[in-house]
Amino acid sequence: MSEALPSGQSAPTVLRIVLGKRLKELRESRNAQLEDAGKALGVSHLTIRRIENAQVSLKLPYVRELLRFYEVSDEEARDFTDMAERANEPGWWHNYKTALPDWFRAYVSLETAAEVIRVYEPHYMTGLLQTRDYARAVIRAGFPYEPAEALEHRVDLRLRRQALLEREDAPTLWVVLEEAALRREVGGPEVMRAQIDRVMQAVEDPRITLRILPLAAGAHSGASGHITYFRFQERELQDIVYTEVGLTSAVYLDQRPDVVAHLEAYTRISRLASELLPDPRTYLDQLRKDFKR
């Protein structure tokens, strides 16, 4: 797992990651070592490393003292402290912390900040395009003993995530769905028809590119499981790939060889889907009719 994306309750917001990297750039531009910055704050060099890697919350006094030590101008310092204040504010998902497993908190922060999101989904409709009834049925399957109120809290979180698609600066979304994800009946025929209608709307959205990979594609490079690929506008943030590991954990990859390997696999899957099913609308229209039978 990337050092920039620690798991657990301290999963950082994107602003914390960006600010940590900028503080590291400042230190290195001043030819200061971790130990030098630590002495300026009266802390160990490990604390400075954790600040730069967004592994701890950003205390404003620490940020101000580091900026003084690096001899940053007042105007630039104001930009840093403003960012630090915003980075310490809880994200909108804070209200859903009981519905968010530790390993998924960083995902929501990354998803909210991404400029481009690429998703390969082999099993179910991707969360950003699920209807409420479909989401409820999927979540109920994963949490069969969840009380009704807690279940709806999880559903609300999933639907709240979709708000990013309505923003003026909405990310570009690329989705490759396995045919099995659409054929698998979730919640019954009526729920499926409504879900297919939602997908058909997405196909018409110029910011969304949706491909369907037919079962006839056979073995392919994405068969290992779900992939989400994030790209960001901020120069400090490298592309990040998210993959799930079993039922209770995930991996966030930001090392270039890993990211490139997953992007190349995604590109091959997308190209294959486009070649085998160039117009998903015709397929979706027929699929909706099939669920009427």
Side-chain angles (χ1 to χ4, degrees):
M1 179 169 301
S2 162
E3 280 191 333
L5 291 169
S7 61
Q9 295 184 353
S10 63
T13 64
V14 166
L15 275 178
R16 260 172 55 194
I17 298 172
V18 171
L19 185 55
K21 288 180 178 290
R22 291 186 183 179
L23 287 171
K24 181 178 181 179
E25 288 176 357
L26 270 177
R27 177 177 59 77
E28 292 177 342
S29 71
R30 271 49 171 186
N31 294 318
Q33 302 299 313
L34 289 168
E35 291 79 5
D36 301 327
K39 288 178 182 177
L41 291 189
V43 299
S44 73
H45 71 281
L46 292 176
T47 298
I48 302 300
R49 185 190 298 278
R50 293 189 184 106
I51 290 172
E52 294 179 352
N53 288 335
Q55 293 174 321
V56 294
S57 60
L58 288 162
K59 297 179 181 179
L60 276 175
Y62 280 7
V63 173
R64 292 192 178 105
E65 187 58 39
L66 283 174
L67 295 174
R68 278 194 289 269
F69 178 64
Y70 299 145
E71 298 181 342
V72 173
S73 69
D74 291 343
E75 182 177 355
E76 190 177 0
R78 280 193 295 271
D79 292 338
F80 270 94
T81 54
D82 177 66
M83 183 181 294
E85 289 174 345
R86 289 185 287 122
N88 284 326
E89 294 173 359
W92 63 261
W93 53 90
H94 179 75
N95 293 330
Y96 296 92
K97 59 183 179 181
T98 59
L100 268 174
D102 292 345
W103 50 269
F104 197 66
R105 292 178 186 178
Y107 182 100
V108 179
S109 175
L110 297 171
E111 182 181 69
T112 301
E115 182 179 36
V116 177
I117 302 173
R118 292 181 171 89
V119 179
Y120 164 65
E121 183 54 73
H123 303 303
Y124 294 105
M125 176 57 53
T126 183
L128 288 177
L129 298 180
Q130 289 180 8
T131 65
R132 176 172 288 275
D133 288 339
Y134 184 100
R136 183 183 295 110
V138 170
I139 294 171
R140 170 60 73 192
F143 298 90
Y145 306 112
E146 192 91 325
E149 184 177 355
L151 180 74
E152 287 304 311
H153 197 49
R154 293 183 186 275
V155 174
D156 288 343
L157 167 63
R158 187 159 300 183
L159 272 291
R160 175 64 179 81
R161 285 169 48 206
Q162 297 177 7
L164 67 88
L165 297 177
E166 305 301 324
R167 298 183 333 215
E168 289 187 7
D169 63 340
T172 300
L173 177 63
W174 296 70
V175 178
V176 178
L177 291 172
E178 286 276 358
E179 182 181 5
L182 290 165
R183 288 286 178 184
R184 177 175 288 108
E185 187 170 318
V186 174
E190 186 175 349
V191 171
M192 289 303 300
R193 288 196 296 272
Q195 181 59 68
I196 293 166
D197 287 343
R198 174 67 187 96
V199 178
M200 293 175 79
Q201 293 173 5
V203 170
E204 303 300 328
D205 190 323
R207 296 169 301 182
I208 299 174
T209 300
L210 187 138
R211 303 280 186 235
I212 299 170
L213 188 63
L215 293 173
H220 58 79
S221 56
S224 58
H226 172 101
I227 297 171
T228 301
Y229 173 98
F230 298 108
R231 175 163 289 174
F232 307 91
Q233 187 173 18
E234 291 83 358
R235 62 178 176 79
E236 295 86 358
L237 288 175
Q238 62 270 60
D239 297 351
I240 293 171
V241 170
Y242 164 92
T243 62
E244 294 175 358
V245 181
L247 297 176
T248 58
S249 62
V251 175
Y252 297 85
L253 303 168
D254 65 359
Q255 298 303 305
R256 183 168 177 77
D258 296 326
V259 172
V260 169
H262 283 80
L263 180 57
E264 289 178 347
Y266 184 91
T267 301
R268 289 193 296 270
I269 298 167
S270 182
R271 185 180 299 119
L272 181 60
S274 182
E275 292 171 354
L276 294 175
L277 197 63
D279 186 2
R281 289 171 293 190
T282 302
Y283 172 86
L284 290 167
D285 185 58
Q286 181 58 52
L287 182 62
R288 193 182 191 284
K289 295 175 183 176
D290 291 344
F291 277 110
K292 285 185 176 181
R293 298 173 184 172

